[in-house]
Amino acid sequence: MDTIFEWLKQRGIQIENKERMVEALTHSSYVNEHKASKHDNERLEFMGDAVLQLWSTRKLFHLTPALSEGQMTTLRAQLVCEEALAAYNRTLGWGKYLLLGVGEEKTGGRNRDSLLADMFEAVLGAIYLDQGMEAVDIILESVLTPAITQPKSESVIDYKTKLQEYIQADTRKNVHYELVSTSGPSNAPIFEVIVKLEDIIMGKGVGNSKKRAEQMAAKDAFEKMAK
């Protein structure tokens, strides 16, 4: 039977802590339905996010010709946004290893960008803790490095960064995001977010994850200001 351990072994990555790797594959819906499974992948996702930020920053810093700080910030945001991470996961074929609850499976969770992106970061976190950055290099060189030179589609434009840069062209103030509401079933929630500058609501957005809703709110605000 094909497993992520075999997939990684074929690429020279031998995982020692298998329990932690299984945790990286485990969505909260699976934990809710399997009491023997104690932890979902959120903590490892947090670790993987930090690893991904460091790796991508280092990669962009050493590009030739050298990029400016603003160029690095924009490109990094595009490379590590939710849609991009989900695309990397699909390229690697990891989605089939994701452990989901029955309800989440039936509603298409295995192909949902937010779940695939979270899983991608969690697996990176588990690989880093187990084998260090050299093993992470093997994975990210195969999917993220090629993406650096590819044109970015509308879906991977980082509107949060674009909005902040637009605001800071005239002022040093920062925008902030607030979750207004969460609706829908637990296995397919809809988040509504507003983006504010001080007490002024600049835009609103909805999405199937908080990250996506924030991007939509930033897009709404950016497009209004850029008119």
Side-chain angles (χ1 to χ4, degrees):
M1 181 179 178
D2 182 28
T3 67
I4 196 167
F5 301 106
E6 293 170 351
W7 190 99
L8 292 168
K9 186 177 181 180
Q10 290 173 0
R11 289 153 181 83
I13 303 172
Q14 186 73 45
I15 298 297
E16 296 180 6
N17 190 329
K18 289 183 169 53
E19 183 176 343
R20 184 162 55 205
M21 179 56 72
V22 170
E23 182 178 321
L25 307 177
T26 304
H27 184 252
S28 57
S29 62
Y30 187 88
V31 175
N32 293 337
E33 295 180 12
H34 299 79
K35 300 307 178 184
S37 183
K38 298 179 181 179
H39 303 290
D40 60 32
N41 60 12
E42 290 183 358
R43 279 171 46 85
L44 286 168
E45 176 198 345
F46 179 82
M47 173 61 73
D49 177 72
V51 171
L52 184 61
Q53 292 288 336
L54 175 59
W55 191 95
S56 57
T57 300
R58 183 184 66 185
K59 185 73 177 181
L60 295 176
F61 185 86
H62 290 293
L63 286 180
T64 304
L67 302 179
S68 69
E69 183 271 342
Q71 289 173 320
M72 287 192 293
T73 298
T74 299
L75 184 51
R76 182 182 64 185
Q78 293 173 342
L79 292 170
V80 302
C81 71
E82 182 179 280
E83 290 83 0
L85 300 186
Y88 304 151
N89 194 328
R90 292 187 179 98
T91 297
L92 296 170
W94 286 355
K96 62 185 176 182
Y97 305 124
L98 182 59
L99 298 176
L100 295 173
V102 174
E104 191 68 56
E105 185 78 68
K106 288 182 177 179
T107 57
R110 191 169 298 279
N111 197 44
R112 190 170 295 134
D113 280 0
S114 57
L115 272 64
L116 292 175
D118 292 347
M119 174 199 171
F120 181 77
E121 290 183 324
V123 172
L124 287 185
I127 291 173
Y128 172 75
L129 290 172
D130 199 89
Q131 296 295 316
M133 193 62 88
E134 288 187 7
V136 172
D137 284 339
I138 295 172
I139 303 301
L140 294 184
E141 284 288 357
S142 69
V143 289
L144 200 145
T145 297
I148 291 175
T149 58
Q150 292 174 354
K152 304 298 179 287
S153 68
E154 175 75 11
S155 65
V156 298
I157 294 175
D158 182 59
Y159 281 100
K160 290 179 68 175
T161 298
K162 287 174 70 72
L163 177 63
Q164 188 62 56
E165 290 176 345
Y166 191 94
I167 294 294
Q168 292 195 334
D170 296 321
T171 175
R172 301 303 297 174
K173 296 176 181 177
N174 293 316
V175 298
H176 64 279
Y177 297 84
E178 294 181 8
L179 178 64
V180 176
S181 66
T182 304
S183 59
S186 60
N187 60 355
I190 297 296
F191 300 92
E192 181 179 3
V193 167
I194 58 173
V195 56
K196 300 173 70 176
L197 179 62
E198 295 184 328
D199 293 326
I200 301 173
I201 297 176
M202 303 176 63
K204 300 179 181 179
V206 296
N208 56 11
S209 71
K210 291 180 183 178
K211 291 179 182 178
R212 184 62 177 165
E214 288 176 356
Q215 285 290 344
M216 292 299 97
K219 182 176 186 289
D220 181 41
F222 179 80
E223 291 180 343
K224 288 177 181 176
M225 296 185 68
K227 288 182 178 179

